[in-house]
Structures are given as structure tokens and as C-alpha cells.
Amino acid sequence: MRRSTVQHEVAGQEFLTFTLGKEEYGIDILKVQELRGYDNVTQIANAPDFLKGVVNLRGVITPIIDMRIKFNLAASSYDQFTVVVILHLGERTVGMVVDGVSDVITLSSQQIKPAPEMGTVLNTDYLIGLGTLDDRMLILLDIDKLMSSDEIGLINKLTA
């Protein structure tokens, strides 16, 4: 009697990869609604620096967050290559400005390493871990935690 072996492939997780400066980041592709070019935004008085303003996206007022400012990186100028990743986070739509979008990759659990402990020097709560793909190292973000409820609450108040 012949026995057949069924191989179970480990289902990978898909990430949209994007760049900020020289670093490459990844976020869960299921959180991404669409990619857009950078348009002029309506600025909001007394908003934090990282909140560039809001845009009307098909009737939905969408806050636009500059990730370079949020991560304390040098500010960059917006050009035709600047990308806004529109995210669907729970009940909220948020746009994040990044330098560029690379691709969508699938990582197995073996390719995702836990984020190193940084002590109190750096808050790593929003990091899923580090992804490795060939010679690339990706910083994998938990975008829900990064766009914390406090900030979303603040943005909701400012855009109301």
C-alpha cells in the first residue's frame, strides 16, 4: 500500500514595503486601502507637526501623517515620487506620507525575528519584528499600535 505525504506549506504574511530615508519598512497589506500621490492638504491649526493636514477622499475626511516627522527623521520635500499610503485602521481612514513604496512581499514566520530590546531608550511597542528577505532587512511595523488610540483620538478631535 502506497502512502502519500502531504506537505503543509507555512502560510506567509504579506507586507507592503516602503522606504523612509535609507530604511525599509513593512506593514500588513490588509491594512492598506490604496496608494496615492501627494496632494495639497488642508492644514489644521494647533495640530502636531507630523499631522500635515487633511484631504477629502471621496467624501471621507482623511488625516495625512508624515512618517518622517513621526519618526524624527530629517524632513523631506514632496515631489512626484512622494507616496501617500491610505490605511484602513478600524473605523478610521488615515494617510501616511512615505518616501516611496517598494513592493509587496510574503514572509514566513521563520523570516520574522523579534525586535531587539532597546530598554527605555526607544519605544519598540509598535514593532512586530525584523523581516529578512535575501539581503534585505525590513522593519516590520504594527501600524495599529503606531497610530495609537491617543493620537487617533487627537486627530478625530482636530478633524471634527
Side-chain angles (χ1 to χ4, degrees), residues 2 32 42 44 91 97 100-101 107 109 112 125 130 136 144:
R2 249 175 94 199
V32 177
T42 302
I44 297 175
E91 299 298 312
V97 180
V101 171
L107 295 176
S109 55
I112 301 174
D125 290 348
L130 299 174
R136 291 163 68 184
D144 289 303

Side-chain angles (χ1 to χ4, degrees), residues 11 16 30 46 54 56 59 62-63 84 87 136-137 143-144 146:
L16 175 74
L30 298 177
N46 300 321
V54 295
N56 186 338
T62 305
V84 178
L87 304 167
R136 291 163 68 184
M137 176 77 73
I143 200 66
D144 289 303
L146 182 61

Side-chain angles (χ1 to χ4, degrees), residues 61-149:
I61 302 303
T62 305
I64 304 297
I65 295 171
D66 188 319
M67 297 305 286
R68 281 181 152 276
I69 297 171
K70 186 150 178 58
F71 285 167
N72 296 318
L73 300 171
S76 111
S77 58
Y78 302 141
D79 59 25
Q80 71 270 25
F81 301 111
T82 304
V83 178
V84 178
V85 180
I86 304 297
L87 304 167
H88 190 72
L89 306 175
E91 299 298 312
R92 193 69 170 134
T93 302
V94 176
M96 66 177 198
V97 180
V98 299
D99 293 344
V101 171
S102 308
D103 52 9
V104 175
I105 60 165
T106 303
L107 295 176
S108 70
S109 55
Q110 290 82 19
Q111 291 172 294
I112 301 174
K113 307 294 181 217
E117 281 298 319
M118 301 288 190
T120 57
V121 176
L122 183 62
N123 180 359
T124 56
D125 290 348
Y126 59 84
L127 295 181
I128 294 171
L130 299 174
T132 54
L133 183 66
D134 301 325
D135 60 346
R136 291 163 68 184
M137 176 77 73
L138 305 168
I139 301 167
L140 303 177
L141 303 174
D142 181 332
I143 200 66
D144 289 303
K145 284 185 181 171
L146 182 61
M147 303 293 181
S148 71
S149 54

Side-chain angles (χ1 to χ4, degrees), residues 36 54-62:
R36 302 174 56 88
V54 295
V55 295
N56 186 338
L57 192 62
R58 293 180 294 284
V60 177
I61 302 303
T62 305

Side-chain angles (χ1 to χ4, degrees), residues 40-51:
N40 286 332
V41 298
T42 302
Q43 293 184 341
I44 297 175
N46 300 321
D49 288 347
F50 63 82
L51 179 59

